[in-house]
């Protein structure tokens, strides 16, 4: 079965997942991101690469932050950006996802940025575009269910490369709610392809997906063993509704077992960086003292995120990575 | 009224019940089989059906086809698939939980078709799992058994009461084994594959726990249990153990589960969304072997016509199930072929064995039996296409696949009810 994000020649035409991308493709995306870093620092923050193109932000799940970063990225590439808050729009009136897509295609969309609560929703759109012969429209997955959030994965890789130079030999730990995390899955695939030495997932069994070892990770129940000699520590967001119930007894207990503190981070390498996809729950998955310390690179992640989203859009529009 | 005599001439007659497999003519008189091989005395054919190059087999018996809702179209699909007897599960719209509804389905089917339609009534009202349905009246209205649809009642005490009551009325209970809470929000097999795709999962334990509960209660109550759509290797093993212990319990498997497994979900193909979900590779192998060994008695189409509005949606939102009755024969033959089974064995779980589970006379070619026959070309290859399907549901993960074995003619109640154009 062909990876639907690639064309017959293996060029990237959609971005659906970090899985399936070659090391060269990932590296080219990161390099392209690097070339956009300067753009945001200039007085004139725009480049004309997507001039005349229409980018539709299709957010079926609310997210002001991610939507905003895509909007900024598209505008810095001189695209026209249309934001559609789908949770209150047509689907609430019973229109199907593909009806919505057809309508927007008729408005001459060039690119869809899709966030959806169902894993695989962007794949359905890509499959539909292919079936109906509209291969010139590109789809970027901005987060689908628990499956994938590839631009977050890419900006995480960018951040790691920025601070660590290379992926060879790196030990990386992802802490907390792996089960519901599309960020974790995106990071794992990218890290694997880019050659990280070890990838650990750390959390209670209730938050670790079944047989996740098959993705090439080590599972640790214990935070100290998971953090041992780590170069990169990625804390994941724990959704409020999952803090109490059958998955976890309480946020306090979770913090006691898996919350990142300076004390706990002593197990990691002294120069380990701490990342978080945001928004953070201070005092739950991460202590404020850690989040505000120099080893935390959480705000740079946001800045790099805009450059990486520009990179993805320009590579898709320019044809092939 | 004048007797209508039909001779089915020159076909290879395969009867799984008697293990008969030879070229012979079949003589039909008054809707019943009058003779096989020898021309009955004084028989004069009013109609000769040419069966040269075709296999003449008993009309298929399908223990699970959701035909209610669009009975006319689905019965057309049924005969195009060679199915002449079918059981319709209660989880259709409206739910078959009242005797009048069951009666209406039976009457409607009789009005438009020769296919024998046997509704399976709801075990609890509205399938809500709280109050018992009128099992005895449902049976009187034509229901062959009662069922809880997909899964078990959440409340095990209700299950106990239902089995006790069904045993008292001598109504068989067909259950799709899935523990309520473990299966409630899941859409895929719990495995590395669903972890990778980020799909909420149903562990095999949902099936085994349900089976263990039901088996314990079956010993306790004496209820007659049939497990429908067993999906896992562990489920097959539990069934085998219960049978070895002497419990008269039977089981079936969905025909798609003999061919597909979880990786056929591919990149979130909503057509591959089933309930129970497609499970692992080893599960599929165990189901194939379990059917060949006879632990699983029947194979069912699990025919569930679905429209594009509920199938061309994201995987998690897609309604489970697919059209299947027109693929039942070819997919069953493919299973038999892959295990090098003789035709008379391959056809057993869609004919005599399935009829035995129903507890009715059907699924065999024998003198005096209702003349329900399927005539198929065992060598014909065909590609599954939406335009070829008569069912109102056109969507199946087998679209585009080439299958071997094609229904050419179907007789039901001694009438030629289908002929491929």
């Amino acid at each position: 079965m062909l990876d639907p994000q690639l064309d017959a020649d293996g060029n990237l035409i959609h971005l659906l997942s970090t899985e399936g991308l070659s090391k060269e493709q990932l590296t080219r995306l990161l390099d392209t991101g690097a070339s956009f870093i300067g753009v945001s620092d200039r007085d004139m923050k725009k480049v004309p690469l997507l001039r005349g193109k229409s980018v539709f932000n299709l957010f079926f799940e609310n997210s002001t932050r991610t939507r905003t970063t895509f909007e900024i990225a598209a505008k810095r590439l001189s695209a026209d950006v249309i934001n559609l808050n789908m949770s209150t729009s047509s689907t609430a009136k019973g229109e199907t996802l593909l009806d919505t897509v057809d309508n927007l295609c008729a408005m001459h969309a060039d690119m869809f940025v899709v966030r959806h609560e169902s894993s695989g929703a962007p794949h359905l759109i890509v499959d539909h575009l292919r079936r109906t012969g509209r291969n010139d429209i590109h789809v970027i997955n901005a987060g689908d269910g628990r499956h994938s959030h590839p631009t977050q994965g890419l900006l995480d890789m960018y951040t790691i490369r920025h601070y660590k130079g290379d992926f060879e030999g790196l030990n990386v730990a992802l802490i907390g709610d792996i089960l519901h995390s599309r960020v974790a899955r995106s990071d794992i695939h990218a890290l694997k392809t880019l050659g990280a030495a070890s990838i650990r997932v750390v959390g209670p069994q209730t938050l670790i997906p079944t047989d996740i070892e098959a993705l090439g990770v080590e599972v640790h129940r214990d935070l100290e063993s998971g953090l041992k000699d780590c170069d990169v520590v990625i804390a994941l967001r724990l959704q409020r509704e999952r803090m109490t119930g059958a998955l976890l007894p309480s946020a306090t207990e979770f913090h006691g077992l898996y919350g990142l503190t300076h004390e706990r981070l002593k197990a990691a390498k002294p120069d380990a960086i701490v990342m978080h996809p945001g928004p953070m729950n201070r005092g739950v998955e991460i202590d404020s003292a850690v989040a505000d310390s120099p080893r935390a690179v959480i705000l740079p992640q946001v800045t790099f995120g805009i450059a990486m989203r520009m990179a993805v859009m320009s590579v898709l529009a320019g044809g092939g990575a | 009224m004048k007797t209508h005599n039909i001779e089915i001439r020159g076909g290879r007659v395969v009867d799984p019940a008697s293990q008969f497999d030879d070229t012979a003519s079949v003589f039909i008189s008054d809707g019943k089989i009058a003779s096989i091989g020898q021309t009955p005395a004084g028989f004069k054919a009013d109609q000769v059906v040419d069966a040269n190059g075709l296999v003449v087999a008993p009309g298929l018996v399908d223990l699970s086809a959701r035909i209610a809702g669009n009975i006319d179209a689905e019965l057309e699909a049924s005969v195009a698939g060679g199915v002449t007897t079918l059981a319709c599960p209660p989880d259709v719209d409206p739910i078959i939980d009242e005797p009048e509804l069951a009666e209406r389905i039976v009457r409607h089917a009789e009005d438009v078709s020769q296919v024998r339609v046997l509704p399976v009534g709801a075990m609890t009202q509205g399938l809500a799992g709280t109050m018992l349905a009128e099992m005895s009246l449902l049976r009187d209205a034509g229901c062959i058994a009662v069922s809880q649809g997909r899964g078990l009642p959440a409340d095990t005490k209700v299950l106990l009461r239902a089995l006790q009551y069904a045993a008292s009325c001598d109504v068989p209970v067909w259950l799709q084994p899935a523990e309520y809470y473990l299966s409630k929000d899941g859409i895929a097999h719990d495995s590395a594959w669903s972890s990778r795709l980020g799909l909420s999962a149903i562990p095999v334990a949902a099936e085994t726990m349900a089976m263990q509960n039901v088996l314990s209660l079956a010993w306790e109550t004496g209820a007659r249990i049939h497990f429908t759509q067993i999906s896992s290797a562990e489920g097959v093993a539990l069934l085998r153990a219960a049978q070895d212990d002497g419990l008269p319990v039977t089981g079936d498997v969905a025909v798609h589960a003999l061919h597909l497994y979880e990786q056929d979900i591919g990149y979130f193909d909503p057509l591959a969304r089933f309930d129970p979900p497609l499970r692992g590779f080893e599960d599929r192998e165990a189901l194939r072997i379990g059917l060949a060994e006879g632990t699983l008695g029947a194979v069912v189409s699990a025919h569930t016509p679905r429209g594009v509005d509920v199938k061309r949606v994201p995987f998690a939102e897609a309604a489970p199930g697919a059209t299947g009755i027109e693929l039942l024969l070819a997919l069953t033959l493919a299973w038999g072929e892959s295990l090098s089974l003789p035709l008379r064995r391959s056809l057993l779980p869609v004919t005599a064995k399935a009829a035995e589970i129903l507890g009715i006379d059907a699924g065999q070619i024998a003198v005096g039996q209702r003349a329900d026959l399927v005539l198929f070309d065992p060598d014909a290859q065909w590609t599954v296409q939406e335009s070829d399907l008569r069912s109102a549901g056109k969507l199946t993960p087998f679209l585009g696949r080439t299958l071997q074995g094609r229904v050419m003619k179907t007789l039901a109640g001694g009438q030629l009810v289908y002929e491929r154009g």
Side-chain angles (χ1 to χ4, degrees):
Chain A
M1 203 176 303
L2 281 179
D3 186 337
Q5 62 189 338
L6 307 177
D7 68 13
D9 302 322
N11 297 310
L12 193 67
I13 48 170
H14 307 288
L15 182 70
L16 301 178
S17 170
T18 52
E19 186 180 19
L21 299 186
S22 66
K23 189 171 183 176
E24 292 67 34
Q25 282 170 321
L26 287 170
T27 304
R28 182 179 161 203
L29 283 165
L30 297 179
D31 292 345
T32 309
S35 73
F36 286 123
I37 288 289
V39 172
S40 303
D41 295 334
R42 298 199 307 231
D43 282 347
M44 181 61 202
K45 292 190 172 64
K46 283 199 177 190
V47 287
L49 287 169
L50 260 64
R51 181 171 291 157
K53 303 278 187 193
S54 300
V55 175
F56 282 68
N57 276 331
L58 274 170
F59 277 59
F60 294 87
E61 193 182 73
N62 280 322
S63 162
T64 312
R65 280 168 44 116
T66 304
R67 201 206 65 216
T68 305
T69 58
F70 273 104
E71 185 174 348
I72 293 169
K75 284 183 172 163
R76 289 197 181 151
L77 293 168
S78 310
D80 296 320
V81 184
I82 299 94
N83 287 315
L84 295 157
N85 183 359
M86 302 310 298
S87 51
T88 57
S89 168
S90 32
T91 44
K93 295 174 195 151
E95 190 176 74
T96 71
L97 173 57
L98 296 183
D99 286 337
T100 304
V101 166
D102 285 339
N103 271 287
L104 298 178
C105 285
M107 297 176 201
H108 301 290
D110 295 294
M111 195 174 282
F112 291 122
V113 177
V114 183
R115 169 165 287 197
H116 201 287
E117 63 187 6
S118 283
S119 300
H123 300 69
L124 182 80
I125 295 175
V126 163
D127 179 60
H128 180 66
L129 293 175
R130 185 160 292 156
R131 250 172 224 286
T132 50
R134 288 172 288 193
N135 297 316
D136 50 336
I137 301 175
H138 306 285
V139 176
I140 297 174
N141 182 359
D144 64 322
R146 308 173 181 182
H147 171 242
S148 181
H149 190 356
T151 58
Q152 178 74 42
L154 287 168
L155 79 87
D156 285 352
M157 295 311 111
Y158 189 94
T159 307
I160 294 170
R161 195 174 77 164
H162 179 84
Y163 288 98
K164 296 293 166 191
D166 195 5
F167 295 89
E168 303 286 335
L170 286 188
N171 300 324
V172 183
L174 293 133
I175 321 285
D177 184 1
I178 314 293
L179 179 65
H180 301 96
S181 178
R182 50 198 176 206
V183 176
R185 288 171 176 81
S186 295
D187 284 348
I188 289 167
H189 291 305
L191 286 165
K192 196 80 203 150
T193 307
L194 290 167
S198 84
I199 309 165
R200 300 102 178 253
V201 297
V202 187
Q205 197 175 342
T206 49
L207 296 178
I208 304 284
T210 302
D211 293 340
I212 192 74
E213 293 89 342
L215 299 190
V217 301
E218 296 168 19
V219 175
H220 292 259
R221 306 272 175 248
D222 170 61
L223 183 58
E224 196 177 337
S225 78
L227 288 178
K228 192 167 161 33
D229 297 327
C230 267
D231 301 280
V232 177
V233 180
I234 303 173
L236 297 167
R237 178 176 164 76
L238 183 66
Q239 299 280 0
R240 192 155 294 277
E241 66 270 21
R242 295 179 183 131
M243 290 180 193
T244 55
L247 292 167
L248 290 172
S250 73
T252 312
E253 181 153 320
F254 178 80
H255 183 70
L257 290 170
Y258 299 105
L260 283 183
T261 63
H262 279 306
E263 187 57 33
R264 293 243 168 77
L265 279 165
K266 284 179 182 162
K269 287 187 184 162
D271 62 346
I273 56 169
V274 174
M275 297 164 58
H276 190 296
M280 282 183 286
N281 296 297
R282 290 168 178 264
V284 182
E285 64 262 13
I286 188 165
D287 253 12
S288 274
V290 173
D292 299 332
S293 72
R295 71 194 329 182
V297 296
I298 297 163
L299 290 175
Q301 282 179 272
V302 177
T303 309
F304 297 151
I306 293 178
M308 279 315 303
R309 285 171 179 129
M310 290 171 75
V312 169
M313 289 178 175
S314 67
V315 164
L316 293 182
Chain B
M1 202 181 103
K2 187 186 168 300
T3 305
H4 188 69
N5 289 336
I6 305 176
E7 179 184 350
I8 299 176
R9 188 178 289 168
R12 172 183 166 195
V13 177
V14 177
D15 179 45
S18 62
Q19 297 285 293
F20 183 90
D21 183 350
D22 206 350
T23 302
S25 284
V26 177
F27 300 92
I28 297 166
S29 202
D30 265 349
K32 290 188 165 32
I33 292 170
S35 170
I36 302 148
Q38 291 206 320
T39 314
F43 185 95
K44 207 162 161 292
D46 302 300
Q47 187 181 6
V48 174
V49 176
D50 179 17
N52 247 308
L54 302 181
V55 170
V56 179
L60 306 189
V61 179
D62 185 356
L63 301 186
S64 178
R66 293 185 173 87
I67 57 141
N70 199 346
I71 293 178
D72 298 35
E74 300 318 314
L75 289 180
E76 293 251 317
S78 173
V79 293
V83 174
T84 54
T85 303
L86 64 84
C88 176
D91 53 346
V92 288
D93 186 19
I95 289 168
I96 311 173
D97 65 350
E98 287 177 28
E100 295 72 33
L101 289 170
E103 248 165 43
R104 202 184 307 160
I105 291 170
V106 172
R107 254 204 322 271
H108 186 153
E110 281 172 354
D111 286 347
V112 299
S113 173
Q114 292 296 316
V115 176
R116 292 166 80 181
V117 172
L118 306 161
V120 178
M123 185 171 83
T124 58
Q125 291 178 31
L127 294 175
T130 49
M131 290 155 75
L132 300 188
E134 296 170 322
M135 298 183 199
S136 178
L137 291 175
L138 282 165
R139 194 248 325 270
D140 295 346
C143 289
I144 195 81
V146 292
S147 159
Q148 185 57 22
R150 302 185 173 89
L152 299 188
D155 186 337
T156 309
K157 194 156 201 176
V158 173
L159 177 65
L160 169 64
R161 297 295 185 226
L163 297 193
Q164 286 174 327
Y165 193 80
S168 313
C169 305
D170 201 25
V171 173
V173 182
W174 292 11
L175 294 169
Q176 182 175 316
E179 197 279 331
Y180 181 84
Y181 293 103
L182 285 181
S183 57
K184 171 160 86 96
D185 299 318
I187 50 176
H189 175 50
D190 192 16
S191 68
W193 189 259
S194 59
S195 292
R196 178 174 160 273
L197 294 180
L199 298 175
S200 57
I202 305 176
V204 164
E207 179 162 299
T208 53
M209 286 172 65
M211 288 182 72
Q212 280 160 337
N213 278 353
V214 170
L215 290 168
S216 301
L217 298 177
W219 285 109
E220 189 84 18
T221 60
R224 282 192 288 148
I225 304 294
H226 171 69
F227 287 117
T228 185
Q229 291 200 47
I230 288 175
S231 68
S232 68
E234 290 84 347
V236 176
L238 275 176
L239 179 63
R240 185 177 301 136
Q243 289 169 344
D244 289 348
D245 288 346
L247 195 68
V249 57
T250 51
D252 69 48
V253 56
V255 75
H256 58 253
L258 299 174
H259 297 284
L260 307 176
Y261 69 114
E262 57 177 347
Q263 294 197 8
D264 288 297
I265 291 172
Y267 292 96
F268 304 96
D269 180 3
L271 302 191
R273 166 123 158 72
F274 288 99
D275 187 7
L278 297 176
R279 294 208 180 271
F281 185 80
E282 290 78 14
D283 294 306
R284 187 185 70 174
E285 293 315 291
L287 293 169
R288 294 162 69 90
I289 301 297
L291 186 65
E293 290 177 351
T295 306
L296 296 163
V299 58
V300 305
S301 72
H303 179 69
T304 308
R306 298 287 193 196
V308 288
D309 54 326
V310 295
K311 272 301 193 187
R312 297 275 185 223
V313 295
F315 186 86
E317 295 164 24
T323 194
I325 205 163
E326 292 164 85
L327 311 181
L328 179 61
L329 175 72
L331 292 176
T332 303
L333 294 175
W335 158 78
E337 185 73 28
S338 70
L339 294 174
S340 306
L341 299 177
L343 208 45
R344 56 184 193 275
R345 177 63 188 86
S346 304
L347 291 171
L348 197 57
V350 276
T351 56
K353 262 306 211 195
E356 192 182 311
I357 291 168
L358 284 171
I360 63 166
D361 266 347
Q364 50 180 309
I365 304 178
V367 173
Q369 285 277 334
R370 208 175 105 107
D372 291 342
L373 299 167
V374 56
L375 279 57
F376 67 88
D377 180 344
D379 302 317
Q381 301 214 336
W382 58 290
T383 301
V384 183
Q385 286 173 318
E386 289 186 40
S387 56
D388 279 353
L389 298 175
R390 292 186 163 203
S391 167
K394 307 289 184 195
L395 299 174
T396 148
F398 293 101
L399 283 175
R401 287 218 194 183
T402 299
L403 303 177
Q404 186 171 332
R406 191 151 217 206
V407 176
M408 303 308 287
K409 288 163 191 169
T410 304
L411 285 92
Q415 293 180 27
L416 187 63
V417 290
Y418 173 74
E419 201 165 2
R420 182 166 299 283

